[in-house]
Amino acid sequence: MQKDNSYIDKLVSRMTLDQKVGALMTLGFSGTVVRPHLHEYIQKYYCGGLRLSPRSRTFGSYLDPKTGKMVINVEDNKGYKKGINPPAVTAPEYREILDGLQKLAMDRPLAIPLHFSFDQEGGSGADFFFGGVNIFPKPMGIRATGDSKLAYEVALAVSRQCRATGFNWIHSPVLDVNVNPDNPGIGVRSYSDRLEDVIEYAEQACLGFKKGGLIATGKHFPGRGDSSVDPHYGVLTIDIDKDGLYSRDLLPYKNLIQKKLLPSIMIAHAVYPKIDEDVPATVSRKIITGMCREYLGFEGVITTDSMTMGAISTRYKVEEACAMALQAGADLVLMKAENELVPATFNAIKRYVEERKISEEDLNDKVYRVLSCKHEYGLFNYGSQWKENPENVLKDKEIIRLSSLVARKSVLIARDRKNLLPLSEEAKLLVIEQMNASINNINWHPGKFFKNCLKYNKNADYLEVDFTPDEFDKNNIRELAKSYDIIVVTNFYSREAKGNNEVVGELIADKTKNIVVISNTPYKNTIPDDADTVVLTFATSPANMEITAGVIFGQIAPEGEWPLKYRIPD
């Protein structure tokens, strides 16, 4: 490979084997308290970066939402007790935490900075959710605005908020073309099922991330839009031929690579049997090196998805799979489990180098690509530091205005067969709202949607249920519903969780009731055919909940457009 950065080239030549191995590892930092093992990750294992998950105190095992069974146990049972939320932090407080970790890294020999990677896809899929941060809709909600320039503005606003707080490597944009309406793992995380829309909106997003100084990551290569299994819980097979991949799924990557807008690519945990028989893309040399490097000519950083997901960890030992992914052509492995898998992964990668399964030249090329990317985005100059104060950015009137604008332009009325909308401001009605992922503070909390409904109808009553209602919830709903002619009920979807479908079905079956369904997806997994009135919001976050409440009472005109070729029945 051509090496144009002489500073990084010389730096790599001075690194020890241990430093090089560590540079290829993205490890996990859950919660908001720095525990001793993080010092060890940085100082002993020389980790290249941390995947930030401030929402949970520890990384948990994946439980299949359909069966409740554990897919794989990756938990560390020492220390923290389950069921306790991490300490709440403000954005400046979290930045101070990250700055402290970055200082540890910069004090290491050769002063190689950490990258701090995260998800910020929109809605509840946000690792940065605290401190009053402005949350935007999922990518399909951005597409529903009908204005790709808003994808640029949203990405720039996300970048400003995140960089000011210390995040620097975002695992976005999603480049999957979601052609399967029953796709459990992608759905509204994709911009659309239209190839041309994915290309257009993703390009604008990458321009915004680049302008805002965030390292963008296109995912999930070579494409997960036609999948029917969520790889968090099981082996995902996509039976598409080479021509299909090259003529559709690879084109968003090809466009961004040609325009030099894609510094990083994440590999899908999926098997493509017509490309590499029974080998997941994550450890497939044919896909990583053959398709991504050689066919597309990608010279940036290739990272794995989380290596503890069921699609990989049910097939291989996690540490072995990490080494195999690097052998196949990846540059970074994402291994979040904060337990004995860290030294095991480090040692497995080191062993692959010592046994020449990964050549010294290949190892040096990987380290060069990772460090060059960090150097290009300024991490060597100031680590996680950024020019703007996070409090000021989060309160920026233009970002707040943009959040409201994008929400208004994305929310739409998907169906209103009986012309029930707008609801009367005098009507006695019941709002049934699922407990959904949020931070429990004044900015974003359970009951936020109902609180917005009260702005327009003081007669509204409220019932809160679990995301998937239990028997107590169901009985409570059945009893309370008798007293209301109009019921507004949320039916949100999240990664194959059962959601509220059973309750919604029962309510709709009672033809004496008028039911308004609030859905966060445009698919049948949340919109039953016999639901007469459906309002579609693409995020459960504050701005979208505020706009949705205004829409059902006729005080805000919905401006969203249907974002797909796929249509639900009228």
Side-chain angles (χ1 to χ4, degrees), residues 195 240-251 295:
L195 170 63
I240 185 172
D241 59 25
K242 188 173 181 179
D243 289 342
L245 278 173
Y246 280 50
S247 63
R248 184 188 65 207
D249 297 86
L250 296 190
L251 294 185
Y295 174 72

Side-chain angles (χ1 to χ4, degrees), residues 63-84:
L63 300 178
D64 189 324
K66 291 182 177 179
T67 65
K69 293 182 178 179
M70 183 177 292
V71 177
I72 181 170
N73 186 352
V74 296
E75 295 180 9
D76 183 359
N77 294 320
K78 300 187 298 293
Y80 283 164
K81 185 175 176 60
K82 294 181 182 179
I84 306 298

Side-chain angles (χ1 to χ4, degrees), residues 225-300:
D226 196 15
S227 57
S228 56
V229 174
D230 190 326
H232 284 82
Y233 313 113
V235 177
L236 167 59
T237 299
I238 300 178
D239 193 23
I240 185 172
D241 59 25
K242 188 173 181 179
D243 289 342
L245 278 173
Y246 280 50
S247 63
R248 184 188 65 207
D249 297 86
L250 296 190
L251 294 185
Y253 295 93
K254 185 176 182 179
N255 176 65
L256 293 171
I257 291 168
Q258 289 176 343
K259 294 183 177 179
K260 300 187 184 304
L261 290 175
L262 197 57
S264 176
I265 286 174
M266 178 179 283
I267 304 299
H269 287 329
V271 176
Y272 299 81
K274 292 182 179 175
I275 307 298
D276 199 0
E277 296 187 44
D278 195 33
V279 181
T282 306
V283 295
S284 169
R285 190 163 186 84
K286 289 182 180 179
I287 290 174
I288 298 177
T289 299
M291 296 177 71
C292 193
R293 289 275 185 238
E294 295 172 357
Y295 174 72
L296 290 177
F298 182 61
E299 297 177 351

Side-chain angles (χ1 to χ4, degrees), residues 29-30 35 58 67 72 123 130 140 145 244 264 313 329 376 399 434 438 468 482 535 551:
F29 171 27
S30 59
R35 291 180 285 163
T58 61
T67 65
I72 181 170
F130 51 85
M140 197 172 286
T145 67
S264 176
S313 57
E376 180 183 351
I399 294 180
Q434 294 158 282
S438 68
T468 299
K482 297 174 183 177
V535 176
V551 165

Side-chain angles (χ1 to χ4, degrees), residues 31-33 54 85-91 93-94 97 129-131 439-441:
T32 56
V33 175
N85 291 328
V89 291
T90 64
E93 287 168 342
Y94 196 64
I97 291 167
F129 60 96
F130 51 85
I439 187 170
N440 192 18
N441 67 18

Side-chain angles (χ1 to χ4, degrees), residues 23-38:
L24 307 184
M25 294 169 57
T26 304
L27 301 178
F29 171 27
S30 59
T32 56
V33 175
V34 176
R35 291 180 285 163
H37 67 261
L38 288 173

